[in-house]
Amino acid sequence: MSGPAAGTADAATSTDVVCLGESMVTFLPSQPGRLADVPSFGRGIGGAESNVACALAAAGHRAAWVGRVGADGFGDHLVETIASYGVDTSAVRRDPARPTGIYFRTATDRGTDTHEVAYYRAGSAASAMSPSNVPYEELFAGRVLHLSGITAALSADCLALLRDLTAARPGRPLVSFDVNHRPRLWRDGEADASVLLELARRADLVFVGEDEAEEAWGIVGAEAIRAALPEPAVVVVKRGSAGATVFASGLRPGPRSFAAGGAGDAAGAGSVGAGGAEGADTVTLVPALRVDVVAAVGAGDAFAAGFLSATLRGLPVRERARHGHLMAAAVLTVPGDLTDPPARDHADRLAALDDEAWGRLRLGPGWTAADRAPEEVRTP
C-alpha cells in the first residue's frame, strides 16, 4: 500500500494529533561531565514526535504516536511509557529483525561545545519505516499529522515516506512540520538542507529555529525565513530568548474543518487544505519567558505541543505562542525531555496576562504544580 485512498480522513475523527517518528530509550547522566567520566545513567525516553504526543495527551488532547520499534525490551519500555501518558500506541509496529534505537547524552545544553550525544540507532527498527509498511489509515485519522525533519534523516525509505505524507492530496489532515535540523544524522552525500526546505514548503504549519535556518539554509532573520517558506499557512520562527515570531495567513479551503465550531482566524484554524496559503500575513511577535533552566533538551518539542494545543482550541495567535512558551518552560525546569504540563486553567491564566505582567514572569522548578495567582509564580 503506497498511500491512503482519497477522503480517508473524517471530520468527526476522534483523534486530535497523530505524531510519526522514531522514539528511543535515552540514558541520562547521573552527574555532569564527559560521557567517559559519568559513572551511571538513568533510563528515560526521547523522540521529538513522541515527546509532542506525550505532552499533548498530558494536556488533555487525544494524541496518537505511530512508529516502529524492535521486538525487544527497549521497545516494550518505549511503548509502555508513551502509553502511560495517555497516548494511543495501537498503530506502533514491532520489527523482529531490527533493534530499538538508544542513545546516551551528557547533562550540558545541546548548543554548547561540551555537549555529547552517542547514538546507537543505525539500522534501527524505525529507520526501516517506508510508504509500504506504515499504517496510512492511522496516520490520516487525526485532525493534525505532526512530522519532523529527524525522520527524513534516518534512511532513504524514511525520506520517501515523508515526501509521500506531505504530498498534496484530498483529505490530507493539516500537516505540522518541525524542521529539527540534525546534521549528524544525515547520510553522507544527502543534501539535508534542500530536503528540509522542500518538506517544510509542503506543510501547512512549520516550526523552525532562527539558528537552524541560518545553519541549514544560510537564511538570517524571521522575515527572510518566511520569504523562503511562502506556502505554509503558518510559520513559527523560534528565536530563543527573544521569543517567537508567527507569520500566519488564511488556509486554502479544504474538505474538513480544523477548528471545532466553524471558521477559524487568520492563523490557520479554519478549513484545512492540502497545503498552501492565501491572503496577507499577520505577524505576531511573542516574547519568551524568563526561566530558571535545569536542562534545555526537549524544549522545542514542548513548544510545538503547546502551540498545537492552543491551535486545536482555536485560541488567538498570541495565546498559541504563549502556550508554546509555557509548555517549553515546563520542560526547561526539569532534567528530562518530558514532564507534566501546567493545568489548563493555570496555563490559560498566564497566557492571558497583559504584556507587562507577562514580561515580569520568571518560572523556576516546580512552577507547574503551583496553583497560584499569576503574580505569585515568579521566583526571586
Side-chain angles (χ1 to χ4, degrees):
M1 180 177 181
S2 60
T8 54
D10 185 341
T13 178
S14 62
T15 304
D16 292 323
V17 181
V18 179
C19 302
L20 167 80
E22 179 173 36
S23 191
M24 296 178 291
V25 173
T26 175
F27 290 91
L28 310 174
S30 58
Q31 64 186 45
R34 302 184 311 152
L35 287 178
D37 300 328
V38 174
S40 60
F41 296 81
R43 184 180 65 175
I45 67 169
E49 302 85 3
S50 60
N51 286 349
V52 172
C54 289
L56 284 167
H61 296 283
R62 298 159 299 188
W65 172 60
V66 178
R68 194 172 181 87
V69 300
D72 50 32
F74 287 143
D76 293 341
H77 176 66
L78 278 175
V79 174
E80 291 167 6
T81 303
I82 293 169
S84 73
Y85 281 84
V87 176
D88 180 357
T89 59
S90 60
V92 175
R93 299 295 187 258
R94 309 300 290 261
D95 190 326
R98 297 176 179 85
T100 303
I102 65 172
Y103 73 99
F104 297 76
R105 67 171 174 84
T106 53
T108 49
D109 190 319
R110 178 182 287 139
T112 68
D113 292 337
T114 58
H115 183 70
E116 297 175 72
V117 179
Y119 287 112
Y120 299 90
R121 69 197 306 179
S124 69
S127 70
M129 290 189 296
S130 76
S132 65
N133 65 14
V134 298
Y136 272 77
E137 64 279 7
E138 301 291 342
L139 291 173
F140 280 63
R143 298 163 67 192
V144 179
L145 173 61
H146 181 71
L147 309 168
S148 98
I150 293 174
T151 304
L154 298 180
S155 68
D157 282 342
C158 283
L159 174 55
L161 174 62
L162 258 63
R163 281 181 166 143
D164 197 41
L165 291 174
T166 56
R169 70 181 83 215
R172 191 187 84 173
L174 184 146
V175 172
S176 166
F177 182 75
D178 194 332
V179 171
N180 267 328
H181 183 225
R182 300 288 187 270
R184 291 176 53 193
L185 294 181
W186 286 85
R187 302 163 296 283
D188 290 342
E190 185 69 67
D192 58 317
S194 61
V195 167
L196 292 173
L197 187 62
E198 170 201 342
L199 293 172
R201 294 182 64 176
R202 292 154 67 110
D204 300 298
L205 166 60
V206 174
F207 298 97
V208 58
E210 200 169 39
D211 55 347
E212 65 184 346
E214 182 175 2
E215 180 184 30
W217 305 322
I219 299 172
V220 179
E223 295 283 351
I225 293 170
R226 176 50 161 167
L229 298 171
E231 294 88 355
V234 180
V235 174
V236 183
V237 180
K238 298 175 291 182
R239 304 173 61 207
S241 61
T245 300
V246 183
F247 298 88
S249 63
L251 280 171
R252 190 169 60 200
R256 52 196 298 220
S257 175
F258 177 58
D265 61 19
S271 296
V272 174
E278 59 184 23
D281 270 342
T282 60
V283 183
T284 307
L285 284 69
V286 182
L289 291 159
R290 291 181 297 161
V291 180
D292 296 332
V293 177
V294 174
V297 178
D301 305 329
F303 181 94
F307 192 95
L308 285 170
S309 172
T311 301
L312 287 161
R313 296 168 59 201
L315 300 184
V317 175
R318 186 188 73 160
E319 277 67 29
R320 298 180 194 195
R322 283 189 170 187
H323 276 277
H325 287 315
L326 289 164
M327 198 83 88
V331 170
L332 287 168
T333 50
V334 299
D337 290 25
L338 292 168
T339 189
D340 289 332
R344 181 172 290 184
D345 59 347
H346 185 193
D348 283 345
R349 190 167 64 242
L350 296 181
L353 292 174
D354 61 40
D355 290 344
E356 182 180 356
W358 177 263
R360 290 198 308 265
L361 284 179
R362 181 174 175 180
L363 305 179
W367 76 269
T368 58
D371 187 14
R372 297 176 285 186
E375 62 271 18
E376 295 176 332
V377 178
R378 299 193 305 275
T379 60

